[in-house]
Amino acid sequence: MTAITSRTPSSRTLGKPSWIRRPAKAHRVGRWGEDLVAQILSVNGYRILERNWRPPAGLDIPLRGELDLIAITPQDELAFVEVKTRSSEEYGHPFEAINGDKAKRTRELAILWCRLRENLDFGHFRVDAIAVTGTPEKFTFEHLMGRSEERRVG
C-alpha cells in the first residue's frame, strides 16, 4: 500500500504568485544577505534611502517586482542595488539569478522610482548588483557597479 500525501497551501500563500511563496530557508538567507549588504554599504559611506521598495498600489502599470536597496553613494550618485544571496554555489553563483529580464525589470523599476520623485536632484543613476555567498560566519561579497545612466523623467 502506498501512502499519498498532499500539501494544501496555507492561508498565507493561497492565491499568491509562486515568486512570493519562497521556502522559509531561502527567505531567511535572502533577508540576511540584504541586511548584510545594507550594513556593509553604510559602513562604506552609502546612505540607504529605501529597502524592498515596490510600486505603490493603485498605479495603472503592469510593472511588478521590488528594488532591494536604493542608496546614495559616497560620490553622491543614486544607486539601485539588486542583492542576490546564496548559502553556497551548489545551485550556481548568485549573479546567475540575474538574467536579462530581471536586469530590465530592475532598470524599469529604477526609472519609475525616479519618476515618482520628480523633485529629486539627481541627473543620473546606476544599477548595481551585489552577490553574497556563504553564512554569517564565512561569506564572500562581490559588488558589480553599473554604468551611470541619464535619469529620464518624462
Side-chain angles (χ1 to χ4, degrees):
M1 187 161 109
T2 305
I4 299 174
T5 58
S6 69
R7 269 187 101 161
T8 305
S10 71
S11 60
R12 288 185 338 183
T13 61
L14 193 58
K16 291 185 179 180
S18 62
W19 56 268
I20 290 179
R21 291 178 266 158
R22 290 197 300 182
K25 181 182 178 203
H27 181 75
R28 282 193 312 272
V29 170
R31 172 57 81 185
W32 165 73
E34 289 178 7
D35 291 345
L36 176 70
V37 168
Q39 290 174 1
I40 290 173
L41 292 180
S42 293
V43 165
N44 285 284
Y46 284 68
R47 287 181 286 141
I48 307 298
L49 300 178
E50 291 195 51
R51 291 183 60 175
N52 305 111
W53 180 84
R54 292 181 181 275
L59 287 183
D60 188 25
I61 56 165
L63 190 58
R64 298 288 176 254
E66 85 174 15
L67 296 168
D68 294 334
L69 293 170
I70 304 165
I72 298 173
T73 71
Q75 297 78 29
D76 284 327
E77 294 179 289
L78 184 60
F80 298 89
V81 183
E82 177 64 26
V83 179
K84 288 297 176 192
T85 308
R86 301 285 182 271
S87 54
S88 74
E89 289 190 27
E90 182 178 352
Y91 298 105
H93 190 279
F95 286 146
E96 292 175 21
I98 305 174
N99 59 23
D101 289 340
K102 176 67 174 172
K104 179 182 176 191
R105 188 171 50 252
T106 300
R107 184 179 172 280
E108 289 171 350
L109 285 166
I111 291 169
L112 176 62
W113 188 91
C114 290
R115 283 186 179 148
L116 295 173
R117 289 154 185 81
E118 292 184 19
N119 61 339
L120 209 62
D121 192 21
F122 287 93
H124 293 81
F125 71 87
R126 71 178 201 223
V127 177
D128 293 359
I130 296 180
V132 177
T133 307
T135 65
E137 293 76 32
K138 183 179 179 183
F139 60 85
T140 61
F141 175 97
E142 297 172 68
H143 187 168
L144 297 178
M145 294 182 195
R147 64 178 172 81
S148 183
E149 296 188 41
E150 186 175 344
R151 180 177 168 229
R152 292 182 217 102
V153 176

